Amino acid sequence: DAKTTQPTSMDCAEGRAANLPCNHSTISGNEYVYWYRQIHSQGPQYIIHGLKNNETNEMASLIITEDRKSSTLILPHATLRDTAVYYCIVNSGGSNYKLTFGKGTLLTVNP
Amino acid sequence: NAGVTQTPKFRILKIGQSMTLQCTQDMNHNYMYWYRQDPGMGLKLIYYSVGAGITDKGEVPNGYNVSRSTTEDFPLRLELAAPSQTSVYFCASSPSHTYDYEQYFGPGTRLTVT
């Protein structure tokens, strides 16, 4: 699986959009970008995933650049409960179902 | 629908003791996983299973054993506990979809070996 690079930490004001970047410059054509988050002491929670097109669900939006070498997770209106570590993971899906979690980005939402 | 449940929530073991971490899912998922997370680090895969009777090693399998006799249960066995196994253990499951899958995680078991 391709390696990902994320900032160690980020801050965001409550009510504002949080934009979390991820670089995956060695991503191959069949690899998906997945985002999970882990609120303190809890198990990771799936957020969203995509292959080429931008994706949106009730939690977040995922913007993938045209060359697929980077992506941005957008939380449109961050709340204090969104404070968590966010993991960007690249995986080819199919039979390669093993996720590799790095250290992620600690997002702190401030009041 | 409880999702993925794990027991116990906390456990303290003495060096050399053994224990089994329990994991159960009620979503009829074929795939199940065990991860460990050391302080300040990401998750590392210990073992996984693609269905009842089928298990395989992940990234850090040494010191652990698993079994999968039913679709619902995937226990993790620690033999001869060592301080290096102090960690938080997460169990997860996922459906057998080809591309659109997500892993559902349990709340974790905090294990301390002293």
Side-chain angles (χ1 to χ4, degrees), chain B:
Chain B
N1 194 341
V4 178
T5 57
Q6 294 183 236
T7 57
K9 286 187 169 56
F10 304 93
R11 183 72 186 267
I12 298 174
L13 279 182
K14 294 188 187 306
I15 294 171
Q17 288 185 321
S18 300
M19 76 164 293
T20 299
L21 282 67
Q22 302 291 344
C23 174
T24 300
Q25 54 93 8
D26 62 0
M27 297 173 282
N28 201 33
H29 288 169
N30 281 334
Y31 297 97
M32 295 188 74
Y33 317 81
W34 273 106
Y35 293 88
R36 61 176 285 174
Q37 185 175 34
D38 298 332
M41 305 296 288
L43 282 72
K44 292 185 178 179
L45 184 66
I46 305 171
Y47 270 96
Y48 65 97
S49 169
V50 302
I54 307 170
T55 63
D56 206 349
K57 296 177 180 178
E59 186 182 356
V60 289
N62 291 344
Y64 306 94
N65 280 301
V66 293
S67 59
R68 184 94 182 272
S69 56
T70 67
T71 299
E72 295 78 21
D73 301 307
F74 190 39
L76 178 71
R77 177 85 177 158
L78 276 74
E79 304 282 2
L80 298 175
S84 61
Q85 293 178 304
T86 293
S87 191
V88 181
Y89 292 83
F90 292 102
C91 179
S93 71
S94 65
S96 306
H97 299 165
T98 304
Y99 292 108
D100 279 331
Y101 72 91
E102 61 183 89
Q103 292 190 14
Y104 296 80
F105 284 81
T109 294
R110 293 184 176 277
L111 176 67
T112 301
V113 182
T114 61

Side-chain angles (χ1 to χ4, degrees), chain A residues 59-80:
Chain A
M59 288 183 68
S61 295
L62 173 60
I63 308 298
I64 302 174
T65 58
E66 194 168 342
D67 63 8
R68 303 208 324 122
K69 293 185 176 181
S70 65
S71 60
T72 301
L73 178 74
I74 301 172
L75 307 178
H77 304 288
T79 70
L80 298 180

Side-chain angles (χ1 to χ4, degrees), chain A residues 14-61:
Chain A
E14 189 177 20
R16 303 298 293 269
N19 297 285
L20 290 88
C22 179
N23 285 323
H24 31 79
S25 58
T26 60
I27 194 170
S28 57
N30 65 340
E31 289 184 310
Y32 287 72
V33 180
Y34 293 85
W35 284 84
Y36 282 74
R37 74 179 183 183
Q38 187 174 25
I39 296 171
H40 182 61
S41 300
Q42 298 181 20
Q45 176 190 24
Y46 166 84
I47 301 173
I48 199 168
H49 75 279
L51 182 62
K52 295 181 183 178
N53 300 321
N54 298 336
E55 302 287 344
T56 295
N57 62 21
E58 65 279 3
M59 288 183 68
S61 295

